[in-house]
Amino acid sequence: MVAGSVSNEIKYPIAPGRLWKAIVKDSHNLMPKLLPDIISSMVILQGDGGVGTIRQSNFSPAIKEFSHWKDRVDAVDDQKHVFKYSVIEGGLIGKKVKSTSFELEFNAATDGGSVCMLSGEYETIEDRLPTEEETKEMLGGMIGMFKAVEGYLLANPDAYV
């Protein structure tokens, strides 16, 4: 096993509060609507969205490597807009990684938009780090989802205010 991490900083022309509401607080409703070809459903299995909540994301056949994943909410800070979660079942767990967790932090940018700090930590099953392409793939799906939310929020300025 090898421990590693990935990170990315993404700038958005949308205030952090709106992104927070859409991406963190209401993702289980919004993501399947925005990305039905990828996410067939997201369900809260246990909890109320706070720490300890267990969620399941179910994916369409377009995702070839897995059909679902379950994650556990590890931290939620509504004031600082920080969200941490760990994938506990499905996804790449048991296939390529032993464990994986992610942290999202939304901060105000000077132009009225926001900066999202996205970071992930993982332990691989094999004794090697992922290739650059595998690392891009890890973050690419999340960045793609965030871009879909950005497009939705720009097209719907009254949503999640």
Side-chain angles (χ1 to χ4, degrees):
M1 280 183 295
V2 176
S5 63
V6 294
S7 63
N8 201 351
E9 179 180 292
I10 310 158
K11 296 181 179 173
Y12 294 100
I14 298 162
R18 289 185 70 209
L19 285 172
W20 175 257
K21 289 175 186 174
I23 291 174
V24 174
K25 301 305 255 180
D26 198 42
S27 64
H28 61 286
N29 291 313
L30 186 59
M31 293 301 180
K33 290 177 187 171
L34 294 182
L35 301 165
D37 294 339
I38 297 169
I39 302 171
S40 57
S41 66
M42 293 177 78
V43 182
I44 295 177
L45 300 175
Q46 174 184 327
D48 61 2
V51 173
T53 295
I54 306 293
R55 308 176 306 172
Q56 180 168 317
S57 298
N58 298 301
F59 299 97
S60 76
I63 305 298
K64 305 246 184 275
E65 290 191 310
F66 50 86
S67 62
H68 78 283
W69 80 35
K70 289 182 184 177
D71 61 53
R72 178 189 65 238
V73 176
D74 298 323
V76 180
D77 187 326
D78 290 318
Q79 300 304 313
K80 294 181 180 177
H81 296 138
V82 176
F83 181 69
K84 297 179 185 179
Y85 69 95
S86 299
V87 178
I88 58 172
E89 179 185 302
L92 297 176
I93 300 292
K95 295 179 181 181
K96 292 186 179 184
V97 295
K98 179 182 174 190
S99 65
T100 185
S101 62
F102 294 94
E103 178 176 336
L104 309 173
E105 182 175 350
F106 300 90
N107 295 302
T110 56
D111 63 2
S114 53
V115 177
C116 174
M117 299 298 297
L118 167 62
S119 60
E121 295 180 352
Y122 57 85
E123 283 186 82
T124 65
I125 290 176
E126 298 178 5
D127 286 331
R128 69 170 184 84
L129 288 172
T131 64
E132 186 176 332
E133 186 166 314
E134 289 170 328
T135 299
K136 284 181 183 177
E137 188 179 312
M138 267 190 249
L139 291 176
M142 290 181 73
I143 292 169
M145 287 189 279
F146 294 178
K147 287 295 183 185
V149 171
E150 175 186 15
Y152 174 80
L153 293 175
L154 288 172
N156 298 279
D158 294 330
Y160 299 101
V161 291

